[in-house]
Amino acid sequence: PTNSMIKRNLILLAALIGLSGASAAKRPDIIVIMADDMGYSDISPYGGEINTPNLARLAKNGVRFTQFYNTARCCPTRASLLTGLYPHQAGIGHMMNDRGIDGYRGNLNNRCQTIAEVLRPAGYSTYLSGKWHVTRHVAPEGPKFNWPLQRGFDRFFGTIHGAGSFYDPNSLTRGNTQIPPGEDFYYTDKINDTACQFIREHDAQDPDKPLFMYIAHTAPHWPMHAKPADIAKYKGQYDRGWDAMRKARYQRMLKMGLIKQEWALSPRDPKSKAWQDAPDKEWELRLMEVYAAMVDSLDQGIGRIVQTLKDTGRFENTVIMFLADNGGCAEGMGRGGNNLKHQTIYRDRDQPLVLKPMGANDLQADMIPKRTRDGRALRQGRGVMAGPADTYMGYGLSWANASNTPFREYKHWVHEGGISAPLIVHWPAGIAEIGRASCRERV
């Protein structure tokens, strides 16, 4: 599987670099959009029930790949995608720590080039909005030789680190300077809206120059954070539980032709209870509702990006690629115990402990914040309803099992559930034929 993944990435990279040899008038804009910890069947073009109409339209009018692979973890996939190399060749064989071996330094090495470093001298403007996560140096005053502006990008807004609050992410950066989030901040929206800003400003300044943009989301990676209006859309959607969800997705995938009739649905993970036996059902349902809202919000932003391309007249000659860095995540982040700490320090679950608020210019230093910016202490554990800024949890193994329908295992594992990724490619001016597996919205 890893060889197949690398070959596909190399073919795509070679194709994009080849485009740079064409005349400037014919060279397309290139936008690569990556989701984070999203299962193979979460979006509607791949059998999911989550409302993703913008991705469905891109799939219907483009090409939907049914067998595309990643490397089962965040950083190695990003290293491979950015460079076209095996992640070990690029220096990121695992996560962002230096293990004392060349393939495991936790930094992109100086023996590789990023796609931005190749396309910029070929005449492209290069932009990144979102998660970087290919260097271990994340501190605001630390080394920056492997930050985006030093690896080929003209403009950057996003996070250097790999995970954090959607309301107050650590290592939030503009250019080479770390910044506080500002008012009414929600990271998924800010990533997409910054991408729209980059497109508009590029078109105003140099409309005839092609652009390359990498839009690297943290959604739907934990923590389960979403806006109330988006969460409300999914109230009751999952009340039948994860077993019914898996079966319904499997049937839709069969109908779409994504999988073969002779391929049986994998058994429920032995570490997962049957839904009828699951404890804390209301809590579990809320986690999945928030997860769905996070994917929904991501899709809404993609719709705004598409509209911006249309408004600027760039849509027809833009290659849009959408993929995920690994499968759904079974990690138990923040799910353990009965929240005894919460019960001890809070007199009332609805009246959380208030600490000293953060200053308007204070930077968030922690992946898992101890408090919100307005001073609410962090809440984790069973019974804490996900979504607000003072919560921090993953949706857990059983829902991840459903996200990865029909496959086994998850992020971390190189079973199909860990390495299988959706891939949608849309390019009106360049794709003559729709892929054989055309999709239908909300089948």
Side-chain angles (χ1 to χ4, degrees):
T2 302
N3 284 330
S4 298
M5 176 268 185
I6 294 296
K7 287 178 181 177
R8 285 167 171 79
N9 285 354
L10 286 170
I11 289 168
L12 287 171
L13 183 63
L16 295 179
I17 293 171
L19 293 169
S20 68
S23 66
K26 294 181 180 179
R27 285 181 292 175
D29 294 331
I30 303 161
I31 297 180
V32 178
I33 307 171
M34 178 179 281
D36 195 350
D37 286 14
M38 193 188 79
Y40 184 79
S41 65
D42 278 328
I43 58 175
S44 60
Y46 285 79
E49 69 295 319
I50 300 174
N51 188 34
T52 53
N54 295 295
L55 286 169
R57 279 189 286 272
L58 292 176
K60 185 176 183 178
N61 297 308
V63 177
R64 178 186 56 175
F65 288 69
T66 58
Q67 193 176 12
F68 182 78
Y69 290 123
N70 53 60
T71 70
R73 291 298 291 262
C74 301
C75 334
T77 293
R78 282 165 172 73
S80 189
L81 179 74
L82 282 165
T83 66
L85 301 174
Y86 286 98
H88 301 77
Q89 290 176 300
I92 302 180
H94 189 238
M95 299 296 285
M96 309 319 309
N97 56 314
D98 188 349
R99 298 188 170 198
I101 305 170
D102 272 357
Y104 298 89
R105 293 292 186 181
N107 259 320
L108 284 180
N109 59 40
N110 59 7
R111 299 189 300 278
C112 66
Q113 286 186 301
T114 70
I115 189 170
E117 288 173 314
V118 173
L119 289 180
R120 185 162 66 178
Y124 275 75
S125 293
T126 54
Y127 304 96
L128 168 54
S129 183
K131 169 176 168 176
W132 184 233
H133 205 201
V134 286
T135 179
R136 65 179 185 272
H137 300 298
V138 302
E141 302 304 329
K144 299 179 181 179
F145 62 91
N146 258 334
W147 286 22
L149 296 193
Q150 285 66 251
R151 296 308 304 252
F153 287 93
D154 295 319
R155 298 182 69 182
F156 167 60
F157 168 83
T159 44
I160 303 298
H161 192 47
S165 167
F166 282 75
Y167 303 101
D168 187 18
N170 67 103
S171 74
L172 186 66
T173 302
R174 183 181 293 114
N176 277 325
T177 303
Q178 294 198 1
I179 58 174
E183 297 292 328
D184 299 321
F185 184 94
Y186 181 67
Y187 194 26
T188 300
D189 285 348
K190 193 64 175 178
I191 289 171
N192 286 321
D193 292 343
T194 300
C196 293
Q197 176 189 344
F198 285 164
I199 294 168
R200 288 192 297 268
E201 292 176 354
H202 174 91
D203 191 70
Q205 294 164 6
D206 202 346
D208 295 327
K209 188 175 183 180
L211 68 84
F212 167 72
M213 187 179 301
Y214 176 33
I215 305 171
H217 280 278
T218 56
H221 192 294
W222 50 252
M224 299 295 99
H225 281 168
K227 296 172 292 184
D230 290 333
I231 298 171
K233 297 180 188 180
Y234 294 93
K235 184 66 177 176
Q237 174 76 58
Y238 298 101
D239 285 1
R240 295 177 62 206
W242 44 66
D243 292 323
M245 176 178 162
R246 293 185 76 229
K247 290 175 183 176
R249 287 191 178 190
Y250 175 70
Q251 291 300 322
R252 284 192 292 268
M253 296 172 87
L254 285 174
K255 189 175 180 180
M256 288 176 167
L258 281 167
I259 55 177
K260 296 181 179 179
Q261 292 287 338
E262 58 266 33
W263 294 354
L265 176 63
S266 61
R268 184 196 324 112
D269 190 292
K271 297 182 286 298
S272 172
K273 292 180 181 292
W275 176 248
Q276 64 186 26
D277 300 324
D280 305 312
K281 285 186 172 63
E282 183 180 0
W283 177 69
E284 292 282 11
L285 289 169
R286 173 68 174 210
L287 285 162
M288 186 59 209
E289 290 164 6
V290 176
Y291 179 91
M294 295 170 76
V295 177
D296 187 311
S297 179
L298 189 157
D299 182 82
Q300 292 174 47
I302 291 172
R304 295 195 296 275
I305 292 167
V306 167
Q307 188 59 51
T308 302
L309 290 168
K310 290 179 178 179
D311 292 345
T312 55
R314 308 185 79 93
F315 180 69
E316 292 296 317
N317 198 29
T318 296
V319 182
I320 300 175
M321 300 183 184
F322 175 84
L323 66 155
D325 64 350
N326 46 247
C329 176
E331 296 168 0
M333 167 60 68
R335 293 172 50 91
N338 293 311
N339 202 33
L340 295 178
K341 179 180 178 183
H342 175 93
Q343 295 174 8
T344 300
I345 65 174
Y346 294 82
R347 292 187 298 275
D348 186 325
R349 282 177 179 264
D350 296 324
Q351 296 295 323
L353 181 68
V354 177
L355 305 173
K356 182 180 178 181
M358 296 176 66
N361 295 318
D362 289 348
L363 299 179
Q364 179 57 257
D366 298 324
M367 181 182 74
I368 306 176
K370 299 177 179 64
R371 55 177 171 165
T372 61
R373 296 197 72 85
D374 60 2
R376 289 170 290 154
L378 190 74
R379 297 180 294 145
Q380 292 179 305
R382 291 186 174 275
V384 175
M385 293 300 179
D390 63 341
T391 66
Y392 205 102
M393 289 166 286
Y395 72 157
L397 180 145
S398 296
W399 293 120
N401 194 187
S403 281
N404 295 333
T405 301
F407 304 127
R408 293 185 299 139
E409 301 296 353
Y410 318 92
K411 172 185 177 178
H412 298 260
W413 285 267
V414 289
H415 296 69
E416 293 288 313
I419 61 175
S420 295
L423 173 64
I424 296 167
V425 180
H426 183 276
W427 182 17
I431 297 176
E433 296 183 13
I434 304 304
R436 62 173 181 81
S438 63
C439 73
R440 298 178 295 276
E441 294 180 79
R442 309 285 289 176
V443 175

